[in-house]
Amino acid sequence: MEKHLIGRNEIVDLPQLDLFGLNAKVDTGAYTSAIHYHNADVIEKNGKEVLHFTLLDPSHPEYNDKSFYFEEFKTKQIKNSFGQTEERYIIKTNIRLFDIDIETEFSLSDRGNLKFPVLLGRKLLNKYFIVDTSKKKLSLKSKKK
């Protein structure tokens, strides 16, 4: 597969999560991609442990107060941007860039005080993209063509 050129930030869709037009920061220093969550907890549903969460928060324009239930999830120790290790939930879902859907992992992270609710890490970038930090929103520009 040919790699696409992306900029330092992009507009992405997360179709399985019913979220579209989200600002995403491209971060070659981060291994795992991340998305801002509002609430997350493990509950029992139909006799199984299930991760229940909402994404973004009420202050975000794309917030839809939609609850998600993932039977397949894991937890992982991840260093945040301050170098502190924290345990985060990890889910797999599709991200859409350049009209291509790619399944990837996202950690649920509190990014409420940050400009970008989505962060794209190396695990996704290495396989599919080349980053040009002098550019931005290249995937959005390709949609308009």
Side-chain angles (χ1 to χ4, degrees):
M1 177 178 178
E2 184 181 330
K3 291 187 176 188
H4 287 273
L5 186 67
I6 62 171
R8 65 182 176 270
N9 57 53
E10 293 292 334
I11 302 295
V12 302
D13 296 333
L14 301 171
Q16 293 170 314
L17 302 175
D18 204 23
L19 293 168
F20 301 91
L22 294 176
N23 284 310
K25 177 182 180 183
V26 175
D27 186 349
T28 59
Y31 180 68
T32 308
S33 298
I35 185 166
H36 176 53
Y37 77 102
H38 182 55
N39 291 321
D41 53 353
V42 177
I43 62 170
E44 188 173 316
K45 189 174 181 180
N46 300 326
K48 296 181 181 178
E49 280 198 338
V50 175
L51 177 62
H52 167 249
F53 59 94
T54 57
L55 295 173
L56 308 177
D57 61 50
S59 70
H60 193 278
E62 300 301 321
Y63 177 73
N64 61 15
D65 197 28
K66 186 174 180 182
S67 287
F68 296 96
Y69 299 90
F70 273 57
E71 288 184 14
E72 292 184 29
F73 68 95
K74 61 185 178 183
T75 58
K76 186 175 175 183
Q77 296 289 323
I78 294 179
K79 277 190 183 175
N80 64 22
S81 56
F82 304 109
Q84 300 164 323
T85 301
E86 55 190 29
E87 188 170 53
R88 292 191 192 165
Y89 295 110
I90 307 291
I91 61 165
K92 279 188 181 178
T93 193
N94 284 354
I95 184 169
R96 183 175 295 148
L97 281 146
F98 299 97
D99 291 324
I100 301 166
D101 284 11
I102 303 164
E103 185 180 65
T104 194
E105 288 185 341
F106 282 90
S107 72
L108 302 186
S109 174
D110 182 356
R111 300 183 56 78
N113 60 346
L114 301 172
K115 182 178 178 182
F116 298 94
V118 177
L119 182 136
L120 305 180
R122 287 191 318 270
K123 193 171 184 180
L124 168 69
L125 299 172
N126 283 342
K127 293 180 187 175
Y128 303 99
F129 303 102
I130 298 169
V131 180
D132 182 341
T133 58
S134 71
K135 310 265 189 231
K136 59 184 176 180
K137 299 183 181 175
L138 297 177
S139 62
L140 181 63
K141 291 171 185 168
S142 77
K143 267 187 179 180
K144 292 179 181 177
K145 289 181 181 178

